[in-house]
mmCIF file of all heavy atoms in Angstrom:
data_model
loop_
_atom_site.group_PDB
_atom_site.id
_atom_site.type_symbol
_atom_site.label_atom_id
_atom_site.label_comp_id
_atom_site.label_asym_id
_atom_site.label_seq_id
_atom_site.Cartn_x
_atom_site.Cartn_y
_atom_site.Cartn_z
ATOM 1 N N VAL A 2 -8.314 49.168 -9.389
ATOM 2 C CA VAL A 2 -8.350 50.035 -8.211
ATOM 3 C C VAL A 2 -9.699 49.830 -7.526
ATOM 4 O O VAL A 2 -10.611 49.227 -8.091
ATOM 5 C CB VAL A 2 -8.156 51.520 -8.581
ATOM 6 C CG1 VAL A 2 -6.781 51.747 -9.184
ATOM 7 C CG2 VAL A 2 -9.243 51.992 -9.546
ATOM 8 N N LYS A 3 -9.811 50.332 -6.315
ATOM 9 C CA LYS A 3 -11.063 50.184 -5.563
ATOM 10 C C LYS A 3 -11.590 51.550 -5.136
ATOM 11 O O LYS A 3 -10.817 52.492 -4.943
ATOM 12 C CB LYS A 3 -10.843 49.302 -4.343
ATOM 13 C CG LYS A 3 -9.766 49.806 -3.389
ATOM 14 C CD LYS A 3 -9.475 48.794 -2.295
ATOM 15 C CE LYS A 3 -8.304 49.260 -1.416
ATOM 16 N NZ LYS A 3 -7.927 48.248 -0.402
ATOM 17 N N ILE A 4 -12.903 51.652 -5.006
ATOM 18 C CA ILE A 4 -13.538 52.876 -4.519
ATOM 19 C C ILE A 4 -13.592 52.822 -2.995
ATOM 20 O O ILE A 4 -14.111 51.873 -2.416
ATOM 21 C CB ILE A 4 -14.953 53.033 -5.094
ATOM 22 C CG1 ILE A 4 -14.887 53.252 -6.612
ATOM 23 C CG2 ILE A 4 -15.677 54.203 -4.419
ATOM 24 C CD1 ILE A 4 -16.252 53.387 -7.258
ATOM 25 N N LEU A 5 -13.046 53.852 -2.351
ATOM 26 C CA LEU A 5 -13.080 53.940 -0.894
ATOM 27 C C LEU A 5 -14.295 54.720 -0.402
ATOM 28 O O LEU A 5 -14.890 54.373 0.617
ATOM 29 C CB LEU A 5 -11.807 54.622 -0.373
ATOM 30 C CG LEU A 5 -10.486 53.919 -0.646
ATOM 31 C CD1 LEU A 5 -9.333 54.753 -0.089
ATOM 32 C CD2 LEU A 5 -10.475 52.529 -0.021
ATOM 33 N N ARG A 6 -14.642 55.787 -1.098
ATOM 34 C CA ARG A 6 -15.737 56.639 -0.669
ATOM 35 C C ARG A 6 -16.382 57.317 -1.879
ATOM 36 O O ARG A 6 -15.685 57.742 -2.810
ATOM 37 C CB ARG A 6 -15.251 57.770 0.259
ATOM 38 C CG ARG A 6 -14.714 57.368 1.601
ATOM 39 C CD ARG A 6 -15.802 56.895 2.542
ATOM 40 N NE ARG A 6 -15.285 56.702 3.885
ATOM 41 C CZ ARG A 6 -14.586 55.637 4.292
ATOM 42 N NH1 ARG A 6 -14.307 54.666 3.426
ATOM 43 N NH2 ARG A 6 -14.181 55.535 5.545
ATOM 44 N N GLY A 7 -17.696 57.440 -1.831
ATOM 45 C CA GLY A 7 -18.366 58.399 -2.697
ATOM 46 C C GLY A 7 -18.306 59.735 -1.991
ATOM 47 O O GLY A 7 -18.548 59.816 -0.779
ATOM 48 N N LEU A 8 -17.964 60.790 -2.704
ATOM 49 C CA LEU A 8 -17.701 62.078 -2.057
ATOM 50 C C LEU A 8 -18.869 63.058 -2.145
ATOM 51 O O LEU A 8 -18.834 64.116 -1.518
ATOM 52 C CB LEU A 8 -16.436 62.703 -2.639
ATOM 53 C CG LEU A 8 -15.172 61.851 -2.454
ATOM 54 C CD1 LEU A 8 -13.970 62.500 -3.131
ATOM 55 C CD2 LEU A 8 -14.883 61.602 -0.970
ATOM 56 N N GLY A 9 -19.884 62.733 -2.944
ATOM 57 C CA GLY A 9 -21.105 63.525 -2.931
ATOM 58 C C GLY A 9 -21.084 64.810 -3.721
ATOM 59 O O GLY A 9 -22.091 65.515 -3.778
ATOM 60 N N PHE A 10 -19.953 65.148 -4.376
ATOM 61 C CA PHE A 10 -19.930 66.365 -5.192
ATOM 62 C C PHE A 10 -19.623 66.013 -6.646
ATOM 63 O O PHE A 10 -19.356 64.865 -6.979
ATOM 64 C CB PHE A 10 -18.952 67.410 -4.646
ATOM 65 C CG PHE A 10 -17.538 66.926 -4.436
ATOM 66 C CD1 PHE A 10 -16.652 66.777 -5.499
ATOM 67 C CD2 PHE A 10 -17.064 66.651 -3.163
ATOM 68 C CE1 PHE A 10 -15.344 66.357 -5.315
ATOM 69 C CE2 PHE A 10 -15.752 66.225 -2.951
ATOM 70 C CZ PHE A 10 -14.899 66.088 -4.032
ATOM 71 N N SER A 11 -19.677 67.019 -7.514
ATOM 72 C CA SER A 11 -19.484 66.823 -8.957
ATOM 73 C C SER A 11 -20.429 65.755 -9.497
ATOM 74 O O SER A 11 -20.043 64.880 -10.277
ATOM 75 C CB SER A 11 -18.022 66.464 -9.276
ATOM 76 O OG SER A 11 -17.154 67.512 -8.925
ATOM 77 N N ARG A 12 -21.676 65.835 -9.088
ATOM 78 C CA ARG A 12 -22.675 64.859 -9.540
ATOM 79 C C ARG A 12 -23.073 65.111 -10.987
ATOM 80 O O ARG A 12 -23.216 66.256 -11.419
ATOM 81 C CB ARG A 12 -23.920 64.917 -8.647
ATOM 82 C CG ARG A 12 -23.671 64.460 -7.217
ATOM 83 C CD ARG A 12 -24.985 64.436 -6.442
ATOM 84 N NE ARG A 12 -24.793 64.075 -5.051
ATOM 85 C CZ ARG A 12 -24.719 62.834 -4.598
ATOM 86 N NH1 ARG A 12 -24.820 61.820 -5.445
ATOM 87 N NH2 ARG A 12 -24.550 62.589 -3.303
ATOM 88 N N CYS A 13 -23.265 64.050 -11.727
ATOM 89 C CA CYS A 13 -23.748 64.123 -13.100
ATOM 90 C C CYS A 13 -24.308 62.743 -13.450
ATOM 91 O O CYS A 13 -24.402 61.870 -12.592
ATOM 92 C CB CYS A 13 -22.628 64.531 -14.067
ATOM 93 S SG CYS A 13 -21.247 63.364 -14.126
ATOM 94 N N ARG A 14 -24.667 62.554 -14.705
ATOM 95 C CA ARG A 14 -25.148 61.247 -15.153
ATOM 96 C C ARG A 14 -24.668 61.013 -16.579
ATOM 97 O O ARG A 14 -24.390 61.966 -17.318
ATOM 98 C CB ARG A 14 -26.672 61.183 -15.078
ATOM 99 C CG ARG A 14 -27.397 62.274 -15.847
ATOM 100 C CD ARG A 14 -28.862 62.364 -15.436
ATOM 101 N NE ARG A 14 -29.579 63.390 -16.177
ATOM 102 C CZ ARG A 14 -29.623 64.667 -15.817
ATOM 103 N NH1 ARG A 14 -28.985 65.078 -14.725
ATOM 104 N NH2 ARG A 14 -30.310 65.540 -16.537
ATOM 105 N N LEU A 15 -24.566 59.755 -16.936
ATOM 106 C CA LEU A 15 -24.246 59.378 -18.310
ATOM 107 C C LEU A 15 -25.538 58.921 -18.961
ATOM 108 O O LEU A 15 -26.187 57.988 -18.481
ATOM 109 C CB LEU A 15 -23.208 58.259 -18.344
ATOM 110 C CG LEU A 15 -21.754 58.681 -18.112
ATOM 111 C CD1 LEU A 15 -20.866 57.457 -17.983
ATOM 112 C CD2 LEU A 15 -21.257 59.566 -19.230
ATOM 113 N N SER A 16 -25.898 59.593 -20.052
ATOM 114 C CA SER A 16 -27.202 59.338 -20.668
ATOM 115 C C SER A 16 -27.100 59.178 -22.172
ATOM 116 O O SER A 16 -26.206 59.730 -22.821
ATOM 117 C CB SER A 16 -28.161 60.507 -20.364
ATOM 118 O OG SER A 16 -28.433 60.601 -18.986
ATOM 119 N N LEU A 17 -28.028 58.421 -22.694
ATOM 120 C CA LEU A 17 -28.252 58.377 -24.137
ATOM 121 C C LEU A 17 -29.168 59.537 -24.494
ATOM 122 O O LEU A 17 -30.153 59.804 -23.789
ATOM 123 C CB LEU A 17 -28.912 57.063 -24.539
ATOM 124 C CG LEU A 17 -28.016 55.822 -24.525
ATOM 125 C CD1 LEU A 17 -28.857 54.554 -24.481
ATOM 126 C CD2 LEU A 17 -27.089 55.814 -25.742
ATOM 127 N N ALA A 18 -28.834 60.247 -25.553
ATOM 128 C CA ALA A 18 -29.650 61.380 -25.986
ATOM 129 C C ALA A 18 -29.840 61.324 -27.492
ATOM 130 O O ALA A 18 -28.961 60.857 -28.229
ATOM 131 C CB ALA A 18 -29.009 62.705 -25.585
ATOM 132 N N VAL A 19 -30.983 61.806 -27.947
ATOM 133 C CA VAL A 19 -31.348 61.757 -29.369
ATOM 134 C C VAL A 19 -31.879 63.114 -29.798
ATOM 135 O O VAL A 19 -32.297 63.926 -28.953
ATOM 136 C CB VAL A 19 -32.423 60.676 -29.625
ATOM 137 C CG1 VAL A 19 -31.915 59.307 -29.183
ATOM 138 C CG2 VAL A 19 -33.728 61.027 -28.914
ATOM 139 N N PRO A 20 -31.897 63.395 -31.088
ATOM 140 C CA PRO A 20 -32.527 64.634 -31.570
ATOM 141 C C PRO A 20 -34.011 64.672 -31.188
ATOM 142 O O PRO A 20 -34.685 63.633 -31.125
ATOM 143 C CB PRO A 20 -32.348 64.543 -33.089
ATOM 144 C CG PRO A 20 -31.160 63.656 -33.288
ATOM 145 C CD PRO A 20 -31.249 62.641 -32.181
ATOM 146 N N LYS A 21 -34.516 65.860 -30.909
ATOM 147 C CA LYS A 21 -35.909 66.014 -30.482
ATOM 148 C C LYS A 21 -36.883 65.418 -31.496
ATOM 149 O O LYS A 21 -37.905 64.853 -31.134
ATOM 150 C CB LYS A 21 -36.226 67.494 -30.260
ATOM 151 C CG LYS A 21 -35.561 68.092 -29.040
ATOM 152 C CD LYS A 21 -35.920 69.566 -28.880
ATOM 153 C CE LYS A 21 -35.251 70.153 -27.646
ATOM 154 N NZ LYS A 21 -35.549 71.587 -27.485
ATOM 155 N N GLU A 22 -36.546 65.544 -32.760
ATOM 156 C CA GLU A 22 -37.452 65.071 -33.803
ATOM 157 C C GLU A 22 -37.376 63.557 -34.028
ATOM 158 O O GLU A 22 -38.113 63.017 -34.870
ATOM 159 C CB GLU A 22 -37.176 65.791 -35.124
ATOM 160 C CG GLU A 22 -35.793 65.549 -35.726
ATOM 161 C CD GLU A 22 -34.730 66.489 -35.195
ATOM 162 O OE1 GLU A 22 -34.997 67.187 -34.185
ATOM 163 O OE2 GLU A 22 -33.638 66.534 -35.774
ATOM 164 N N ALA A 23 -36.525 62.863 -33.281
ATOM 165 C CA ALA A 23 -36.342 61.422 -33.505
ATOM 166 C C ALA A 23 -37.523 60.597 -32.996
ATOM 167 O O ALA A 23 -37.724 59.467 -33.437
ATOM 168 C CB ALA A 23 -35.066 60.941 -32.828
ATOM 169 N N HIS A 24 -38.279 61.142 -32.060
ATOM 170 C CA HIS A 24 -39.448 60.432 -31.503
ATOM 171 C C HIS A 24 -39.051 59.057 -30.947
ATOM 172 O O HIS A 24 -39.692 58.049 -31.251
ATOM 173 C CB HIS A 24 -40.558 60.279 -32.548
ATOM 174 C CG HIS A 24 -41.001 61.591 -33.131
ATOM 175 N ND1 HIS A 24 -41.579 62.587 -32.377
ATOM 176 C CD2 HIS A 24 -40.916 62.067 -34.404
ATOM 177 C CE1 HIS A 24 -41.855 63.629 -33.151
ATOM 178 N NE2 HIS A 24 -41.458 63.345 -34.388
ATOM 179 N N CYS A 25 -37.996 59.050 -30.152
ATOM 180 C CA CYS A 25 -37.529 57.802 -29.527
ATOM 181 C C CYS A 25 -38.513 57.379 -28.441
ATOM 182 O O CYS A 25 -38.826 58.148 -27.531
ATOM 183 C CB CYS A 25 -36.137 58.022 -28.929
ATOM 184 S SG CYS A 25 -35.506 56.638 -27.991
ATOM 185 N N THR A 26 -39.012 56.152 -28.534
ATOM 186 C CA THR A 26 -40.012 55.673 -27.582
ATOM 187 C C THR A 26 -39.473 54.608 -26.626
ATOM 188 O O THR A 26 -40.199 54.113 -25.780
ATOM 189 C CB THR A 26 -41.227 55.102 -28.332
ATOM 190 O OG1 THR A 26 -40.771 54.052 -29.206
ATOM 191 C CG2 THR A 26 -41.922 56.189 -29.143
ATOM 192 N N GLY A 27 -38.204 54.260 -26.767
ATOM 193 C CA GLY A 27 -37.627 53.246 -25.892
ATOM 194 C C GLY A 27 -36.272 52.796 -26.396
ATOM 195 O O GLY A 27 -35.790 53.262 -27.444
ATOM 196 N N LEU A 28 -35.652 51.883 -25.679
ATOM 197 C CA LEU A 28 -34.311 51.434 -26.031
ATOM 198 C C LEU A 28 -34.261 50.706 -27.364
ATOM 199 O O LEU A 28 -33.210 50.673 -28.021
ATOM 200 C CB LEU A 28 -33.757 50.534 -24.921
ATOM 201 C CG LEU A 28 -33.459 51.228 -23.580
ATOM 202 C CD1 LEU A 28 -32.989 50.204 -22.552
ATOM 203 C CD2 LEU A 28 -32.400 52.320 -23.751
ATOM 204 N N ASP A 29 -35.382 50.141 -27.801
ATOM 205 C CA ASP A 29 -35.398 49.446 -29.095
ATOM 206 C C ASP A 29 -35.051 50.374 -30.252
ATOM 207 O O ASP A 29 -34.579 49.926 -31.304
ATOM 208 C CB ASP A 29 -36.781 48.829 -29.345
ATOM 209 C CG ASP A 29 -37.057 47.643 -28.435
ATOM 210 O OD1 ASP A 29 -36.085 47.132 -27.832
ATOM 211 O OD2 ASP A 29 -38.224 47.239 -28.307
ATOM 212 N N TRP A 30 -35.273 51.671 -30.039
ATOM 213 C CA TRP A 30 -34.987 52.663 -31.088
ATOM 214 C C TRP A 30 -33.507 52.642 -31.474
ATOM 215 O O TRP A 30 -33.147 52.949 -32.619
ATOM 216 C CB TRP A 30 -35.378 54.056 -30.596
ATOM 217 C CG TRP A 30 -35.209 55.152 -31.597
ATOM 218 C CD1 TRP A 30 -36.123 55.614 -32.492
ATOM 219 C CD2 TRP A 30 -34.014 55.943 -31.808
ATOM 220 N NE1 TRP A 30 -35.596 56.638 -33.247
ATOM 221 C CE2 TRP A 30 -34.295 56.865 -32.846
ATOM 222 C CE3 TRP A 30 -32.750 55.976 -31.228
ATOM 223 C CZ2 TRP A 30 -33.371 57.791 -33.299
ATOM 224 C CZ3 TRP A 30 -31.821 56.898 -31.681
ATOM 225 C CH2 TRP A 30 -32.132 57.780 -32.714
ATOM 226 N N PHE A 31 -32.637 52.288 -30.525
ATOM 227 C CA PHE A 31 -31.193 52.360 -30.763
ATOM 228 C C PHE A 31 -30.657 51.165 -31.551
ATOM 229 O O PHE A 31 -29.485 51.168 -31.944
ATOM 230 C CB PHE A 31 -30.452 52.468 -29.419
ATOM 231 C CG PHE A 31 -30.706 53.769 -28.714
ATOM 232 C CD1 PHE A 31 -31.729 53.881 -27.780
ATOM 233 C CD2 PHE A 31 -29.952 54.897 -29.005
ATOM 234 C CE1 PHE A 31 -31.979 55.079 -27.131
ATOM 235 C CE2 PHE A 31 -30.192 56.097 -28.369
ATOM 236 C CZ PHE A 31 -31.212 56.192 -27.427
ATOM 237 N N GLU A 32 -31.478 50.169 -31.781
ATOM 238 C CA GLU A 32 -31.048 49.010 -32.562
ATOM 239 C C GLU A 32 -30.605 49.451 -33.957
ATOM 240 O O GLU A 32 -31.350 50.094 -34.698
ATOM 241 C CB GLU A 32 -32.186 48.000 -32.682
ATOM 242 C CG GLU A 32 -31.830 46.730 -33.423
ATOM 243 C CD GLU A 32 -30.890 45.827 -32.647
ATOM 244 O OE1 GLU A 32 -30.897 45.869 -31.400
ATOM 245 O OE2 GLU A 32 -30.131 45.080 -33.305
ATOM 246 N N GLY A 33 -29.344 49.126 -34.306
ATOM 247 C CA GLY A 33 -28.802 49.444 -35.615
ATOM 248 C C GLY A 33 -28.384 50.894 -35.801
ATOM 249 O O GLY A 33 -27.918 51.281 -36.880
ATOM 250 N N LYS A 34 -28.509 51.710 -34.771
ATOM 251 C CA LYS A 34 -28.158 53.132 -34.877
ATOM 252 C C LYS A 34 -26.675 53.352 -34.591
ATOM 253 O O LYS A 34 -25.987 52.508 -33.996
ATOM 254 C CB LYS A 34 -28.994 53.959 -33.898
ATOM 255 C CG LYS A 34 -30.492 53.909 -34.139
ATOM 256 C CD LYS A 34 -30.873 54.571 -35.445
ATOM 257 C CE LYS A 34 -32.369 54.848 -35.537
ATOM 258 N NZ LYS A 34 -33.213 53.651 -35.454
ATOM 259 N N LYS A 35 -26.184 54.514 -35.019
ATOM 260 C CA LYS A 35 -24.810 54.909 -34.735
ATOM 261 C C LYS A 35 -24.837 55.882 -33.555
ATOM 262 O O LYS A 35 -25.544 56.887 -33.573
ATOM 263 C CB LYS A 35 -24.170 55.587 -35.952
ATOM 264 C CG LYS A 35 -22.712 56.011 -35.715
ATOM 265 C CD LYS A 35 -22.119 56.717 -36.923
ATOM 266 C CE LYS A 35 -21.872 55.726 -38.067
ATOM 267 N NZ LYS A 35 -21.149 56.372 -39.189
ATOM 268 N N ILE A 36 -24.043 55.566 -32.512
ATOM 269 C CA ILE A 36 -24.034 56.365 -31.292
ATOM 270 C C ILE A 36 -22.621 56.910 -31.068
ATOM 271 O O ILE A 36 -21.656 56.145 -30.998
ATOM 272 C CB ILE A 36 -24.463 55.537 -30.073
ATOM 273 C CG1 ILE A 36 -25.801 54.835 -30.334
ATOM 274 C CG2 ILE A 36 -24.559 56.413 -28.827
ATOM 275 C CD1 ILE A 36 -26.183 53.829 -29.251
ATOM 276 N N ALA A 37 -22.507 58.230 -30.948
ATOM 277 C CA ALA A 37 -21.214 58.871 -30.701
ATOM 278 C C ALA A 37 -21.007 59.033 -29.195
ATOM 279 O O ALA A 37 -21.925 59.407 -28.464
ATOM 280 C CB ALA A 37 -21.157 60.236 -31.377
ATOM 281 N N THR A 38 -19.780 58.770 -28.730
ATOM 282 C CA THR A 38 -19.515 58.861 -27.297
ATOM 283 C C THR A 38 -18.026 58.967 -27.000
ATOM 284 O O THR A 38 -17.185 58.556 -27.809
ATOM 285 C CB THR A 38 -20.070 57.625 -26.556
ATOM 286 O OG1 THR A 38 -19.890 57.803 -25.146
ATOM 287 C CG2 THR A 38 -19.361 56.355 -26.989
ATOM 288 N N SER A 39 -17.722 59.510 -25.831
ATOM 289 C CA SER A 39 -16.359 59.487 -25.302
ATOM 290 C C SER A 39 -16.206 58.394 -24.253
ATOM 291 O O SER A 39 -15.143 58.255 -23.649
ATOM 292 C CB SER A 39 -16.015 60.846 -24.672
ATOM 293 O OG SER A 39 -16.083 61.882 -25.627
ATOM 294 N N TYR A 40 -17.276 57.631 -24.020
ATOM 295 C CA TYR A 40 -17.275 56.566 -23.017
ATOM 296 C C TYR A 40 -17.714 55.252 -23.660
ATOM 297 O O TYR A 40 -18.757 54.696 -23.335
ATOM 298 C CB TYR A 40 -18.204 56.934 -21.852
ATOM 299 C CG TYR A 40 -17.748 58.173 -21.125
ATOM 300 C CD1 TYR A 40 -18.224 59.427 -21.487
ATOM 301 C CD2 TYR A 40 -16.811 58.090 -20.103
ATOM 302 C CE1 TYR A 40 -17.789 60.570 -20.847
ATOM 303 C CE2 TYR A 40 -16.374 59.220 -19.448
ATOM 304 C CZ TYR A 40 -16.860 60.471 -19.829
ATOM 305 O OH TYR A 40 -16.424 61.596 -19.186
ATOM 306 N N PRO A 41 -16.897 54.728 -24.593
ATOM 307 C CA PRO A 41 -17.314 53.543 -25.357
ATOM 308 C C PRO A 41 -17.445 52.279 -24.508
ATOM 309 O O PRO A 41 -18.321 51.448 -24.774
ATOM 310 C CB PRO A 41 -16.197 53.390 -26.397
ATOM 311 C CG PRO A 41 -15.012 54.076 -25.796
ATOM 312 C CD PRO A 41 -15.577 55.228 -25.051
ATOM 313 N N GLU A 42 -16.598 52.107 -23.486
ATOM 314 C CA GLU A 42 -16.635 50.860 -22.719
ATOM 315 C C GLU A 42 -17.911 50.755 -21.890
ATOM 316 O O GLU A 42 -18.550 49.701 -21.829
ATOM 317 C CB GLU A 42 -15.389 50.747 -21.823
ATOM 318 C CG GLU A 42 -14.076 50.706 -22.586
ATOM 319 C CD GLU A 42 -14.066 49.624 -23.662
ATOM 320 O OE1 GLU A 42 -14.536 48.502 -23.382
ATOM 321 O OE2 GLU A 42 -13.589 49.910 -24.777
ATOM 322 N N ILE A 43 -18.295 51.847 -21.241
ATOM 323 C CA ILE A 43 -19.539 51.849 -20.468
ATOM 324 C C ILE A 43 -20.722 51.607 -21.395
ATOM 325 O O ILE A 43 -21.629 50.826 -21.094
ATOM 326 C CB ILE A 43 -19.718 53.173 -19.709
ATOM 327 C CG1 ILE A 43 -18.598 53.366 -18.691
ATOM 328 C CG2 ILE A 43 -21.076 53.217 -19.002
ATOM 329 C CD1 ILE A 43 -18.607 54.711 -17.987
ATOM 330 N N LEU A 44 -20.703 52.280 -22.542
ATOM 331 C CA LEU A 44 -21.803 52.137 -23.497
ATOM 332 C C LEU A 44 -21.882 50.711 -24.040
ATOM 333 O O LEU A 44 -22.981 50.134 -24.128
ATOM 334 C CB LEU A 44 -21.638 53.139 -24.636
ATOM 335 C CG LEU A 44 -22.693 53.074 -25.741
ATOM 336 C CD1 LEU A 44 -24.100 53.254 -25.183
ATOM 337 C CD2 LEU A 44 -22.398 54.103 -26.831
ATOM 338 N N LYS A 45 -20.754 50.121 -24.397
ATOM 339 C CA LYS A 45 -20.766 48.761 -24.939
ATOM 340 C C LYS A 45 -21.318 47.763 -23.921
ATOM 341 O O LYS A 45 -22.084 46.859 -24.280
ATOM 342 C CB LYS A 45 -19.354 48.353 -25.369
ATOM 343 C CG LYS A 45 -18.862 49.053 -26.632
ATOM 344 C CD LYS A 45 -17.408 48.705 -26.917
ATOM 345 C CE LYS A 45 -16.875 49.467 -28.108
ATOM 346 N NZ LYS A 45 -15.429 49.192 -28.339
ATOM 347 N N ARG A 46 -20.931 47.943 -22.659
ATOM 348 C CA ARG A 46 -21.445 47.039 -21.623
ATOM 349 C C ARG A 46 -22.961 47.190 -21.476
ATOM 350 O O ARG A 46 -23.684 46.198 -21.325
ATOM 351 C CB ARG A 46 -20.751 47.324 -20.283
ATOM 352 C CG ARG A 46 -19.295 46.896 -20.237
ATOM 353 C CD ARG A 46 -18.754 46.848 -18.823
ATOM 354 N NE ARG A 46 -18.691 48.161 -18.196
ATOM 355 C CZ ARG A 46 -17.622 48.950 -18.224
ATOM 356 N NH1 ARG A 46 -16.534 48.585 -18.885
ATOM 357 N NH2 ARG A 46 -17.630 50.101 -17.609
ATOM 358 N N PHE A 47 -23.423 48.416 -21.538
ATOM 359 C CA PHE A 47 -24.865 48.661 -21.411
ATOM 360 C C PHE A 47 -25.630 48.055 -22.583
ATOM 361 O O PHE A 47 -26.655 47.389 -22.397
ATOM 362 C CB PHE A 47 -25.124 50.167 -21.334
ATOM 363 C CG PHE A 47 -26.586 50.528 -21.308
ATOM 364 C CD1 PHE A 47 -27.335 50.392 -20.146
ATOM 365 C CD2 PHE A 47 -27.220 51.008 -22.455
ATOM 366 C CE1 PHE A 47 -28.682 50.722 -20.121
ATOM 367 C CE2 PHE A 47 -28.566 51.336 -22.439
ATOM 368 C CZ PHE A 47 -29.302 51.185 -21.270
#
């Protein structure tokens, strides 16, 4: 399918999040980690 218009409402973002105590300093932290998600295809591509 194709996108005809962005409609400007229902804005949000898809983000990686970690426990506060994890002290994540960058994307390298996720190497070898287990990540739970409902959006596996977007995550795998990233």
Side-chain angles (χ1 to χ4, degrees):
V2 296
K3 58 187 175 184
I4 294 179
L5 297 179
R6 294 288 188 281
L8 300 177
F10 54 78
S11 297
R12 293 185 183 276
C13 62
R14 56 195 181 274
L15 281 172
S16 295
L17 286 161
V19 301
K21 289 180 180 178
E22 63 274 12
H24 304 297
C25 174
T26 57
L28 292 177
D29 289 345
W30 183 91
F31 292 93
E32 183 71 27
K34 298 293 195 300
K35 181 182 288 187
I36 307 171
T38 185
S39 299
Y40 297 92
E42 298 307 317
I43 297 174
L44 178 57
K45 288 174 184 177
R46 289 195 294 268
F47 176 77

